[in-house]
Amino acid sequence: MKSFFKYTAATIIGIFITMIIVVVISFSFTASISKEDTVEIKPNTVLHLNFDKSMYDKAPSDIQSSFAGGEKPLGLNTVLENINKATRDENISGIFIETQTFGGGIAMAEEVREALLKFKKDAPNKFIVTYSKSLSITAYYLATVSDRIYLNPSGNLDFKGLSASVIFFKNLLDNLDVEVQVFRPEGCKFKSAVEPYILDKMSEANREQMSKYIQGTWDIIVDGIAKERNITEEELNRIADNLLITNAQDAKDYNLIDFVGHYDEAVAYMKQLTQTKEDKKLATVSINNYKNVEVDDDKEFTKDRIAVIYAQGQIVDGKGSDTKIGDQTLIKSIRSAREDKNVKAVVLRVNSPGGSALASEVILREIELTQKEKPVIASFGATAASGGYYISCKCDKIICNPLCVTGSIGVFGMIPNAQKLLNEKIGITTDIVTTNRNSNELNILEGMTPEMKQFWNKQVDDIYTTFIGHVSEGRDLTTARVDEIGQGRVWLGPDAI
């Protein structure tokens, strides 16, 4: 009994100490947030931008990384908002871009680039300087808005055009005796996600759409570079075709950059621009700290609001997250915006390759209900394809990033048949009892009956018919016209328009 009380007392003391530690940690975390909320910067500060890490339309919350001292996620919304804020902030003298790649992809780079061009236009007395050890084509496209581009003497500029490749598994699956049973409406010949499992090279339809997409992307990139660097598009293509950029000096000689130089030389130039003494450190602020700086925008207070709802990631049934669109979670957000009297309109920001057709249908219904009470505007980011387009097609307006991949109006189903692999190559057999002839429909251990294949073909045909029907209503087109331009094909922004 004495031991019992001794261990019980020890347990109570341990719990008490643990509670104190949790309270201290919580207080410290709260204190750090409060401290972060009161960031102040000095005059002649430079906004420092680095895009090497991954970027999302809206950064996922990451409390664990804050505890671990890790790098906070970057959101496109935060970047754009703070570039705009820097335009009118008297304490910001310019922007310093230090990056080698762009973690958000070419479409997000386009949006950041447009924001930087607006910064130059609205704040002509402020500068943009880029320094990089080495530049990818996406990072370079972004950097061309700069007043000066510095490239490390040992660095390089990747300037040889764009390409896209697909890995095919058909021969491997044939060797393994695995059959992939594909269900795709006849009108969805461009729906190419199934091709790696049934072909050993691109279909003509897929080659056509991919060629048009990468060529259209390259044309937009070349046009933008030509305007900012004062080089003709013909010359830029000649440089890329002939692989004329092999080192930093080549990039300088062909006027793609301004200086072959080191980091300290770029900093020294910015010190001159900010009138910072040589023995003083250049004052800079990162985007994650600058977002907590308050700048008066001279706007009058209003209780009226526009709700911005982010739909980024794969579309799934059930609950979602910051990087996954769950129909239950998104519907709740849309419904909340609809029921809020202070919300006068809704912007649905879409960055999704698609997913569940059923979840997409349910989300679309919630958007239709909201439209009866207030406008719903779709904003397409990097991708708004298949289900991503499905949930948006009836919005009052659709605004599309020029480099967005959109469309893919189509559907497919895919079920593998591994019976030969298991039975003949591995030696595994199965035996099944059923109540009805086709109750064993989704068994990968044996092939499907012709009757079941017909059943699944009808399922995908029905979904496709429903899909193009929604698009027809939302975009005021005939179903025949939607089918003609749909067929599972993806489009670049200007072509989609």
Side-chain angles (χ1 to χ4, degrees), residues 72-237:
K72 295 180 180 179
L74 198 59
L76 176 65
N77 60 328
T78 301
V79 172
L80 299 181
E81 179 183 339
N82 284 279
I83 291 174
N84 179 50
K85 183 168 66 176
T87 306
R88 61 183 189 275
D89 188 345
E90 294 179 355
N91 290 326
I92 293 293
S93 295
I95 292 176
F96 177 37
I97 302 172
E98 184 189 3
T99 195
Q100 297 183 68
T101 60
F102 192 92
I106 188 63
M108 286 190 184
E110 172 73 11
E111 298 208 37
V112 175
R113 191 174 187 273
E114 285 298 315
L116 291 169
L117 287 170
K118 188 174 187 300
F119 172 88
K120 289 178 68 174
K121 179 182 177 182
D122 295 345
N125 295 326
K126 300 185 180 187
F127 62 82
I128 302 177
V129 172
T130 292
Y131 165 80
S132 183
K133 292 187 291 185
S134 188
L135 283 165
S136 70
I137 184 60
T138 304
Y140 175 67
Y141 177 58
L142 177 71
T144 54
V145 303
S146 305
D147 303 301
R148 282 193 179 188
I149 302 175
Y150 289 82
L151 184 59
N152 187 281
S154 297
N156 198 9
L157 166 58
D158 179 16
F159 197 82
K160 54 181 181 291
L162 303 178
S163 65
S165 61
V166 180
I167 298 176
F168 293 88
F169 306 100
K170 181 183 182 301
N171 292 335
L172 170 64
L173 294 171
D174 287 346
N175 291 335
L176 294 173
D177 272 337
V178 174
E179 174 196 10
V180 178
Q181 301 162 115
V182 172
F183 309 97
R184 182 174 57 173
E186 288 186 16
C188 289
K189 64 180 180 180
F190 290 96
K191 199 78 173 179
S192 60
V194 300
E195 288 189 2
Y197 307 98
I198 59 175
L199 301 175
D200 58 8
K201 62 180 181 180
M202 294 183 200
S203 67
E204 288 304 312
N206 191 29
R207 183 175 298 277
E208 177 187 342
Q209 71 173 344
M210 289 189 70
S211 296
K212 188 168 181 60
Y213 167 70
I214 63 168
Q215 186 61 56
T217 301
W218 178 247
D219 289 345
I220 291 173
I221 290 173
V222 168
D223 177 68
I225 295 172
K227 289 175 180 176
E228 295 305 312
R229 298 301 303 179
N230 195 25
I231 308 172
T232 66
E233 294 182 30
E234 291 76 16
E235 174 64 4
L236 288 170
N237 278 303

Side-chain angles (χ1 to χ4, degrees), residues 28-40:
S28 300
F29 183 61
T30 303
S32 69
I33 291 175
S34 299
K35 184 178 179 182
E36 185 181 66
D37 287 343
T38 57
V39 171
E40 293 183 5

Side-chain angles (χ1 to χ4, degrees), residues 168 262 399:
F168 293 88
H262 295 275
I399 300 170

Side-chain angles (χ1 to χ4, degrees), residues 253-282:
D253 292 342
Y254 286 99
N255 194 35
L256 296 180
I257 64 168
D258 300 293
F259 292 93
V260 176
H262 295 275
Y263 172 85
D264 58 279
E265 294 175 291
V267 171
Y269 173 65
M270 288 185 287
K271 280 186 175 182
Q272 293 177 18
L273 296 176
T274 57
Q275 298 180 340
T276 303
K277 294 181 180 179
E278 288 187 15
D279 59 340
K280 298 293 184 180
K281 187 177 180 181
L282 181 69

Side-chain angles (χ1 to χ4, degrees), residues 49-51 53-61 72-83 102 104 108 112 287-288 291 310 312 349:
L49 302 178
N50 185 294
F51 303 111
K53 56 188 174 182
S54 296
M55 183 184 290
Y56 301 85
D57 271 345
K58 182 175 183 289
S61 56
K72 295 180 180 179
L74 198 59
L76 176 65
N77 60 328
T78 301
V79 172
L80 299 181
E81 179 183 339
N82 284 279
I83 291 174
F102 192 92
M108 286 190 184
V112 175
I287 200 79
N288 279 324
K291 69 184 180 183
Y310 288 86
Q312 60 181 0
R349 174 64 176 188

Side-chain angles (χ1 to χ4, degrees), residues 225-465:
I225 295 172
K227 289 175 180 176
E228 295 305 312
R229 298 301 303 179
N230 195 25
I231 308 172
T232 66
E233 294 182 30
E234 291 76 16
E235 174 64 4
L236 288 170
N237 278 303
R238 187 185 75 85
I239 293 169
D241 286 340
N242 294 284
L243 301 176
L244 297 181
I245 309 303
T246 60
N247 54 48
Q249 188 58 49
D250 288 340
K252 169 70 168 62
D253 292 342
Y254 286 99
N255 194 35
L256 296 180
I257 64 168
D258 300 293
F259 292 93
V260 176
H262 295 275
Y263 172 85
D264 58 279
E265 294 175 291
V267 171
Y269 173 65
M270 288 185 287
K271 280 186 175 182
Q272 293 177 18
L273 296 176
T274 57
Q275 298 180 340
T276 303
K277 294 181 180 179
E278 288 187 15
D279 59 340
K280 298 293 184 180
K281 187 177 180 181
L282 181 69
T284 62
V285 60
S286 71
I287 200 79
N288 279 324
N289 285 330
Y290 187 61
K291 69 184 180 183
N292 299 301
V293 175
E294 292 187 2
V295 177
D296 186 12
D297 58 9
D298 296 325
K299 291 182 179 179
E300 294 183 7
F301 173 79
T302 173
K303 64 181 181 179
D304 294 341
R305 296 286 182 267
I306 294 174
V308 181
I309 298 174
Y310 288 86
Q312 60 181 0
Q314 195 82 6
I315 299 173
V316 299
D317 299 282
K319 292 184 178 180
S321 66
D322 289 330
T323 57
K324 181 174 64 177
I325 304 169
D327 59 353
Q328 290 181 10
T329 306
L330 190 59
I331 284 169
K332 186 177 180 181
S333 296
I334 297 169
R335 188 174 297 153
S336 176
R338 181 172 73 246
E339 294 172 351
D340 188 336
K341 294 181 180 179
N342 292 330
V343 171
K344 304 304 179 184
V346 176
V347 172
L348 183 70
R349 174 64 176 188
V350 182
N351 192 346
S352 172
S356 165
L358 180 57
S360 300
E361 174 71 24
V362 174
I363 293 168
L364 178 61
R365 175 58 181 171
E366 203 67 30
I367 289 172
E368 288 179 297
L369 293 175
T370 304
Q371 281 181 289
K372 294 178 180 179
E373 300 186 28
K374 57 195 68 175
V376 182
I377 313 300
S379 168
F380 287 175
T383 308
S386 197
Y389 188 79
Y390 196 122
I391 65 175
S392 316
C393 66
K394 290 190 177 181
C395 288
D396 296 282
K397 294 287 182 184
I398 299 175
I399 300 170
C400 187
N401 183 306
L403 291 167
C404 173
V405 179
T406 188
S408 193
I409 300 167
V411 63
F412 70 87
M414 191 165 59
I415 302 171
N417 172 16
Q419 184 177 25
K420 286 188 177 180
L421 169 64
L422 295 173
N423 291 2
E424 300 174 14
K425 295 203 170 182
I426 300 179
I428 296 176
T429 58
T430 59
D431 201 3
I432 301 169
V433 294
T434 62
T435 59
N436 295 84
R437 189 166 65 246
N438 291 297
S439 58
N440 185 35
E441 56 168 313
L442 293 178
N443 185 359
I444 68 168
L445 304 179
E446 44 178 67
M448 301 179 78
T449 64
E451 190 176 15
M452 184 52 64
K453 287 182 179 179
Q454 184 179 4
F455 170 82
W456 275 102
N457 277 320
K458 186 177 186 308
Q459 291 265 309
V460 296
D461 284 343
D462 288 347
I463 294 171
Y464 181 59
T465 300

